[in-house]
Amino acid sequence: MKIDVKKNAKRNIIFGLANKIILLFFPFFIKSFINTYLGSEYLGLNSLFTSILSVLSLTELGISSALVYHMYKPIAEDDTKKICALLNFYRKTYLVIGIVTSFLGLLLMPLLPRLIKGEWPVDINIYVIYLIQLLANCISYFMFGYKQSLLVAYQREDINSIINLLTQSGLQIAQIIILVTIKNYYFYVICIPIFTMLNNLWIWWFTKKMFPDIKCSGKLDALYLKSIKKLVIGSFIQKACGVTRNSLDSVCISAFVGLSITGIYNNYFTIFNGVTVILAIFITSLTGGIGNHVALKSKAENYEELKKIDFLYLQISGWCTCCLLCLSQPFMKLWMGTDMLLSPLSVLFMCIYFYMLKVGDVRSIYYSTTGMWWEMRYRSIVETVANLILNIVLGYLFGINGIILATVISLFLFNFLWGASIVFKNYFGLEKVKSYFLYHLKYLVITIVICIVTWMITLNIELTSDYANLVVKGMVCLIVPTLLYFLVYGRTNNCKNALRMIKGTRKS
């Protein structure tokens, strides 16, 4: 079957961006209403259960990627029989995942009080709330979640984006209405499995209509299953590391500090994650082109391209870090009030956390386009284990600041240093890794100086109106770092290349 790649890609990008951008703003409204009508402890409880269930969902990670990857060839060859067999395997796998996730979720129930330091809201039963959210988490496994693979494999993610946008918007509008009118957390939570079921039924209807000949039937041979298994393991380990990172932080904060601080921390994380989602669009848009260059160009040419892209991305990331450092507190004061602020030191650690996440983003495109998932497996496992141990030790000693610092340390040692070494050893050449670390150090020092200068300027701006305060500081963050970056890099070849990339005149 021939797929119109350009047409579908354009459609997927448009609806994908709309889905991300629109749904990006809903958490801010939801958190505001929960805090206003129920209180900060409910925010913490919501964040804790979301984090626990995110960890439980790890059983699915890697399965969908592997199945979609193996569908591409039979779709291109119109091998309907193979597609049906893959979908049948996917359905059975999802059923097993649903049973395992449900069982593990139930096993965790007796531990819930131990994961909450202090009291929780007296007017709710935490076990009932947890069971409802566990049900919502498992519905897709027992219904038609596996059919999303067809939409992805046939490059019709736009349909999935539209369905997700409509159901998630409907869910969060319904939750806001419940919070404002009846102020009942049980009704707020029960909306989640209802709209999850609606999402699954909608996907089932669309896929049945679009692919009437594709049904769950047939079996895959043993050799084919073996190739799927290896891809699943490599992808699972890598993705698990990323998903557990914030989830483990939230669980440890709840256990060592309490629900209220967990809620406050996740308010900040919502802001930081929003910026991450926007930057992810940049990374996603580059992946296809870089994959093409990996296949066609030499390793030396690709390393030079890595440096050029890294330069632009690190300046954008540095500017975002500067804005987060200077604007997080005034924004949170305006959004949630002075009672919902973290300490300046915690905000500083979160900004370092954000920057450490970003420094490896461009490099990560190269290990994915060169297929290094399997080579990265031990690094990912060690990072996750180290992060958990450091969270427990430093969280016990220093509370929330220790937990954030633990994640920063594990990111630097295992994600940045070890991760880069693996990519250079297996692709670019280990002799180039020194220059890679040196230019990152150079960019880091310049970014630190720019952040300090901008922060000192905004620190002396205190207007009577919180709105005016945020706007003026925002203008400073827009102008000052931009001018300073241009003064430092304006005449360099890297800057000229970056400007050509932005203008779209850079040759591929």
Side-chain angles (χ1 to χ4, degrees), residues 223-241:
L223 189 63
Y224 200 71
L225 283 173
K226 186 178 180 180
S227 67
I228 294 176
K229 182 179 178 181
K230 186 172 182 179
L231 188 62
V232 164
I233 293 171
S235 179
F236 166 82
I237 293 171
Q238 185 65 28
K239 290 184 178 181
C241 177

Side-chain angles (χ1 to χ4, degrees), residues 5 7-8 25 31 54 60 67 69 111 130 187 206 214 237 266 273 299 303 308 314 347 357 385 390 396 403 415 487:
V5 175
K7 181 181 177 182
N8 287 345
F25 291 99
K31 288 176 181 290
S54 294
E60 188 272 339
L67 265 293
Y69 173 82
L111 299 177
Y130 176 77
F187 284 99
F206 264 104
I214 299 177
I237 293 171
N266 276 279
N273 189 56
K299 295 177 182 180
Y303 177 62
K308 292 173 185 177
L314 288 174
V347 175
L357 274 175
V385 173
L390 287 170
Y396 177 78
I403 292 168
N415 190 291
L487 284 172

Side-chain angles (χ1 to χ4, degrees), residues 48-49 51-57 100-115 126-127 130-131 134 251:
L48 173 63
F49 286 170
S51 298
I52 293 172
L53 295 171
S54 294
V55 175
L56 288 177
S57 296
V100 172
T101 303
S102 302
F103 179 70
L104 292 176
L106 292 173
L107 283 181
L108 281 175
M109 285 186 67
L111 299 177
L112 293 180
R114 295 179 178 271
L115 298 176
I126 61 169
Y127 299 105
Y130 176 77
L131 282 173
L134 178 62
V251 172

Side-chain angles (χ1 to χ4, degrees), residues 76-246:
E77 297 173 350
D78 281 328
D79 189 348
T80 305
K81 184 178 179 181
K82 177 64 73 66
I83 298 169
C84 290
L86 280 165
L87 195 65
N88 191 35
F89 172 73
Y90 199 4
R91 179 180 64 84
K92 293 177 180 177
T93 303
Y94 250 36
L95 182 61
V96 173
I97 290 171
I99 294 170
V100 172
T101 303
S102 302
F103 179 70
L104 292 176
L106 292 173
L107 283 181
L108 281 175
M109 285 186 67
L111 299 177
L112 293 180
R114 295 179 178 271
L115 298 176
I116 303 172
K117 183 176 182 179
E119 300 295 325
W120 54 82
V122 295
D123 57 340
I124 62 168
N125 186 313
I126 61 169
Y127 299 105
V128 173
I129 297 296
Y130 176 77
L131 282 173
I132 294 171
Q133 296 206 40
L134 178 62
L135 172 65
N137 202 57
C138 297
I139 282 175
S140 295
Y141 300 133
F142 295 113
M143 291 185 68
F144 308 106
Y146 63 92
K147 289 211 166 186
Q148 286 188 17
S149 61
L150 290 174
L151 297 175
V152 177
Y154 279 94
Q155 209 183 358
R156 291 307 308 270
E157 294 101 320
D158 58 304
I159 292 176
N160 193 39
S161 293
I162 293 170
I163 294 172
N164 188 59
L165 176 60
L166 293 174
T167 53
Q168 287 299 308
S169 298
L171 165 64
Q172 298 188 55
I173 290 170
Q175 288 179 322
I176 289 172
I177 292 171
I178 288 169
L179 289 171
V180 173
T181 54
I182 61 178
K183 304 176 181 62
N184 187 294
Y185 194 66
Y186 287 108
F187 284 99
Y188 168 88
V189 175
I190 201 68
C191 288
I192 303 174
I194 292 172
F195 278 88
T196 303
M197 290 176 65
L198 178 62
N199 184 285
N200 276 266
L201 289 170
W202 215 339
I203 288 173
W204 168 78
W205 184 82
F206 264 104
T207 53
K208 185 178 180 181
K209 184 179 179 181
M210 293 177 66
F211 314 110
D213 296 332
I214 299 177
K215 300 175 182 178
C216 294
S217 61
K219 293 183 178 181
L220 300 172
D221 60 69
L223 189 63
Y224 200 71
L225 283 173
K226 186 178 180 180
S227 67
I228 294 176
K229 182 179 178 181
K230 186 172 182 179
L231 188 62
V232 164
I233 293 171
S235 179
F236 166 82
I237 293 171
Q238 185 65 28
K239 290 184 178 181
C241 177
V243 171
T244 57
R245 195 177 286 131
N246 181 60

Side-chain angles (χ1 to χ4, degrees), residues 236-351:
F236 166 82
I237 293 171
Q238 185 65 28
K239 290 184 178 181
C241 177
V243 171
T244 57
R245 195 177 286 131
N246 181 60
S247 298
L248 291 174
D249 287 355
S250 295
V251 172
C252 289
I253 291 170
S254 174
F256 288 116
V257 187
L259 282 179
S260 294
I261 298 298
T262 305
I264 294 171
Y265 166 80
N266 276 279
N267 290 341
Y268 281 85
F269 190 82
T270 299
I271 301 170
F272 283 66
N273 189 56
V275 180
T276 299
V277 168
I278 293 170
L279 289 179
I281 297 170
F282 181 90
I283 293 297
T284 303
S285 67
L286 289 173
T287 302
I290 289 176
N292 179 261
H293 290 177
V294 166
L296 299 176
K297 293 185 177 183
S298 69
K299 295 177 182 180
E301 288 175 308
N302 281 316
Y303 177 62
E304 291 305 312
E305 184 173 61
L306 164 69
K307 291 195 293 185
K308 292 173 185 177
I309 298 172
D310 237 352
F311 170 81
L312 176 60
Y313 189 73
L314 288 174
Q315 308 327 305
I316 296 171
S317 299
W319 178 77
C320 290
T321 304
C322 188
C323 291
L324 290 168
L325 177 65
C326 299
L327 301 178
S328 292
Q329 293 294 62
F331 179 81
M332 288 300 303
K333 184 179 178 182
L334 186 64
W335 178 31
M336 287 289 184
T338 54
D339 294 336
M340 299 289 285
L341 298 180
L342 289 176
S343 70
L345 183 59
S346 297
V347 175
L348 174 62
F349 284 164
M350 289 195 73
C351 290

Side-chain angles (χ1 to χ4, degrees), residues 407-418:
T407 306
V408 171
I409 293 170
S410 61
L411 274 171
F412 176 70
L413 293 177
F414 306 110
N415 190 291
F416 180 64
L417 294 181
W418 192 359

